[in-house]
Protein backbone atom coordinates (compact mmCIF):
# COMPACT_ATOMS: atom_id res chain seq x y z
CA UNK A 1 0.00 0.00 0.00
CA UNK A 2 2.94 2.36 0.58
CA UNK A 3 3.80 2.41 -3.14
CA UNK A 4 0.26 3.48 -3.86
CA UNK A 5 0.49 6.36 -1.39
CA UNK A 6 3.67 7.55 -3.07
CA UNK A 7 2.09 7.11 -6.50
CA UNK A 8 -0.92 9.18 -5.49
CA UNK A 9 1.28 11.90 -4.04
CA UNK A 10 3.44 11.92 -7.19
CA UNK A 11 0.36 12.15 -9.38
CA UNK A 12 -1.03 15.05 -7.33
CA UNK A 13 2.35 16.80 -7.50
CA UNK A 14 2.49 16.29 -11.27
CA UNK A 15 -0.97 17.80 -11.70
CA UNK A 16 0.00 20.86 -9.63
CA UNK A 17 3.26 21.18 -11.53
CA UNK A 18 1.47 21.04 -14.88
CA UNK A 19 -1.13 23.54 -13.70
CA UNK A 20 1.48 26.06 -12.56
CA UNK A 21 3.79 25.31 -15.49
CA UNK A 22 1.08 25.88 -18.09
CA UNK A 23 0.99 29.60 -17.29
CA UNK A 24 4.71 30.17 -17.86
CA UNK A 25 5.25 32.39 -20.87
CA UNK A 26 8.21 34.47 -21.90
CA UNK A 27 7.56 37.98 -23.24
CA UNK A 28 9.89 37.10 -26.11
CA UNK A 29 11.34 33.79 -27.13
CA UNK A 30 14.60 32.77 -28.71
CA UNK A 31 13.53 29.17 -29.07
CA UNK A 32 10.43 27.66 -30.65
CA UNK A 33 9.83 25.40 -27.63
CA UNK A 34 9.45 28.08 -24.95
CA UNK A 35 10.00 28.04 -21.18
CA UNK A 36 6.92 26.00 -20.26
CA UNK A 37 8.22 22.85 -21.95
CA UNK A 38 10.58 21.74 -19.18
CA UNK A 39 8.07 21.86 -16.30
CA UNK A 40 5.40 20.18 -18.44
CA UNK A 41 7.74 17.38 -19.52
CA UNK A 42 8.89 16.91 -15.94
CA UNK A 43 5.26 16.83 -14.77
CA UNK A 44 4.48 14.21 -17.41
CA UNK A 45 7.40 12.03 -16.28
CA UNK A 46 6.44 12.36 -12.61
CA UNK A 47 2.80 11.67 -13.47
CA UNK A 48 3.65 8.54 -15.45
CA UNK A 49 5.80 7.23 -12.60
CA UNK A 50 2.99 8.01 -10.16
CA UNK A 51 0.48 6.14 -12.32
CA UNK A 52 2.83 3.19 -12.55
CA UNK A 53 3.16 3.08 -8.76
CA UNK A 54 -0.61 3.35 -8.34
CA UNK A 55 -1.37 0.41 -10.61
CA UNK A 56 1.70 -1.78 -10.18
CA UNK A 57 2.68 -0.95 -6.61
CA UNK A 58 2.30 -4.05 -4.48
CA UNK A 59 5.37 -3.78 -2.31
CA UNK A 60 5.30 -2.78 1.30
CA UNK A 61 8.09 -0.45 2.34
CA UNK A 62 10.37 -1.36 5.21
CA UNK A 63 10.43 1.02 8.14
CA UNK A 64 13.30 3.45 8.36
CA UNK A 65 16.27 2.56 10.56
CA UNK A 66 16.58 4.43 13.87
CA UNK A 67 17.54 8.07 13.38
CA UNK A 68 16.69 8.16 9.67
CA UNK A 69 13.52 10.19 10.13
CA UNK A 70 15.43 12.87 12.04
CA UNK A 71 18.05 13.03 9.28
CA UNK A 72 15.31 13.31 6.64
CA UNK A 73 13.68 16.16 8.59
CA UNK A 74 17.05 17.90 8.95
CA UNK A 75 17.64 17.56 5.22
CA UNK A 76 14.31 19.28 4.52
CA UNK A 77 15.24 22.07 6.94
CA UNK A 78 18.65 22.43 5.26
CA UNK A 79 17.00 22.76 1.84
CA UNK A 80 14.60 25.44 3.11
CA UNK A 81 17.40 27.40 4.78
CA UNK A 82 19.53 27.05 1.63
CA UNK A 83 16.72 28.49 -0.49
CA UNK A 84 16.13 31.36 1.94
CA UNK A 85 19.81 32.33 2.25
CA UNK A 86 20.80 31.67 -1.36
CA UNK A 87 20.51 35.27 -2.62
CA UNK A 88 21.91 36.92 0.48
CA UNK A 89 24.91 34.62 1.01
CA UNK A 90 25.44 33.95 -2.68
CA UNK A 91 25.91 30.71 -4.55
CA UNK A 92 29.42 29.89 -3.39
CA UNK A 93 28.93 30.43 0.35
CA UNK A 94 25.41 28.94 0.48
CA UNK A 95 26.39 25.88 -1.53
CA UNK A 96 29.54 25.32 0.52
CA UNK A 97 27.47 25.43 3.72
CA UNK A 98 24.90 23.07 2.23
CA UNK A 99 27.57 20.56 1.17
CA UNK A 100 29.22 20.71 4.61
CA UNK A 101 25.93 20.24 6.46
CA UNK A 102 24.78 17.39 4.24
CA UNK A 103 28.22 15.81 4.38
CA UNK A 104 28.14 15.85 8.17
CA UNK A 105 24.62 14.45 8.11
CA UNK A 106 26.01 11.42 6.26
CA UNK A 107 29.05 11.12 8.52
CA UNK A 108 31.72 12.76 6.38
CA UNK A 109 35.04 13.91 7.81
CA UNK A 110 35.29 17.67 8.37
CA UNK A 111 38.38 18.24 6.25
CA UNK A 112 37.04 16.32 3.27
CA UNK A 113 33.58 17.88 3.27
CA UNK A 114 34.88 21.44 3.67
CA UNK A 115 37.40 20.94 0.86
CA UNK A 116 34.86 19.29 -1.42
CA UNK A 117 32.25 21.95 -0.61
CA UNK A 118 34.56 24.82 -1.51
CA UNK A 119 35.92 23.14 -4.65
CA UNK A 120 32.47 22.09 -5.87
CA UNK A 121 30.92 25.51 -5.19
CA UNK A 122 33.65 27.44 -6.96
CA UNK A 123 33.73 24.97 -9.87
CA UNK A 124 29.97 25.11 -10.45
CA UNK A 125 29.91 28.89 -10.02
CA UNK A 126 32.57 29.31 -12.69
CA UNK A 127 30.93 26.75 -14.93
CA UNK A 128 27.43 28.21 -14.79
CA UNK A 129 28.11 31.91 -14.28
CA UNK A 130 31.14 32.37 -16.49
CA UNK A 131 30.96 29.63 -19.14
CA UNK A 132 27.23 28.96 -19.53
CA UNK A 133 26.04 32.53 -18.80
CA UNK A 134 23.61 31.42 -16.09
CA UNK A 135 23.56 34.31 -13.64
CA UNK A 136 24.14 33.14 -10.07
CA UNK A 137 24.04 35.52 -7.09
CA UNK A 138 27.50 36.45 -5.77
CA UNK A 139 26.02 37.47 -2.40
CA UNK A 140 28.62 38.39 0.20
CA UNK A 141 31.40 37.73 -2.32
CA UNK A 142 30.15 40.43 -4.69
CA UNK A 143 33.37 42.40 -4.25
CA UNK A 144 35.22 39.60 -6.10
CA UNK A 145 33.13 39.98 -9.28
Amino acid sequence: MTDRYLGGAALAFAVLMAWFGWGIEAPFSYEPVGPRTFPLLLAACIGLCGLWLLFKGRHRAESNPPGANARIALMVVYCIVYALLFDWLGFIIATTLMVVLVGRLFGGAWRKIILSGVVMSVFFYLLFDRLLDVVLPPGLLEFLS
Side-chain angles (χ1 to χ4, degrees), residues 107-127:
W110 281 105
R111 178 180 284 167
K112 290 179 182 179
I113 58 175
I114 290 172
L115 179 65
S116 59
V118 170
V119 168
M120 189 174 77
S121 300
V122 170
F123 172 76
F124 281 119
Y125 182 81
L126 293 174
L127 176 70

Side-chain angles (χ1 to χ4, degrees), residues 82 86-87 89-96 116-145:
Y82 178 73
F86 186 74
D87 283 333
L89 291 177
F91 178 82
I92 294 174
I93 295 174
T95 303
T96 300
S116 59
V118 170
V119 168
M120 189 174 77
S121 300
V122 170
F123 172 76
F124 281 119
Y125 182 81
L126 293 174
L127 176 70
F128 282 95
D129 198 67
R130 304 291 189 234
L131 292 176
L132 299 175
D133 261 349
V134 176
V135 179
L136 295 173
L140 298 176
L141 299 177
E142 189 170 12
F143 64 91
L144 294 176
S145 297

